[in-house]
Amino acid sequence: SLLSLSLRLCEYTDSQGLHLQEMPEHAEVGQLPRSVDVLISNDLVDKVKPGDRVQVVGVYKPLCGRAEGTTSGMFRTVIIGVAVRS
């Protein structure tokens, strides 16, 4: 059977992915700054622009990697952002 989309039952939300990087002046000498991905949604979307220095409050969460319908043993970690302050 074919899948069909029922627009009346769909719920759309704004979402955005950020790539948060440690400030270079706080990184150890000779080391690259560490980074983590941040997922934000709804009213937090478009609050920051590339290059802004921000503070993020959120939940640090591992996401299971999936390939071709099966799960792999690899997990990527992200922060699910709940507050962003410039």
Side-chain angles (χ1 to χ4, degrees), residues 4-21:
S4 63
L5 179 65
S6 179
L7 295 176
R8 289 177 287 147
L9 299 176
C10 293
E11 182 178 323
Y12 298 95
T13 60
D14 286 337
S15 64
Q16 183 178 6
L18 308 174
H19 189 72
L20 194 65
Q21 184 178 6

Side-chain angles (χ1 to χ4, degrees), residues 37-76:
D37 291 324
V38 179
L39 303 176
I40 57 175
S41 60
N42 299 325
D43 61 333
L44 297 178
V45 172
D46 294 330
K47 293 280 185 182
V48 297
K49 298 174 195 63
D52 286 353
R53 292 182 180 235
V54 298
Q55 292 179 339
V56 175
V57 175
V59 178
Y60 192 70
K61 181 176 182 177
L63 295 180
C64 183
R66 294 187 180 177
E68 300 174 9
T70 61
T71 58
S72 68
M74 300 296 292
F75 288 82
R76 80 179 180 122

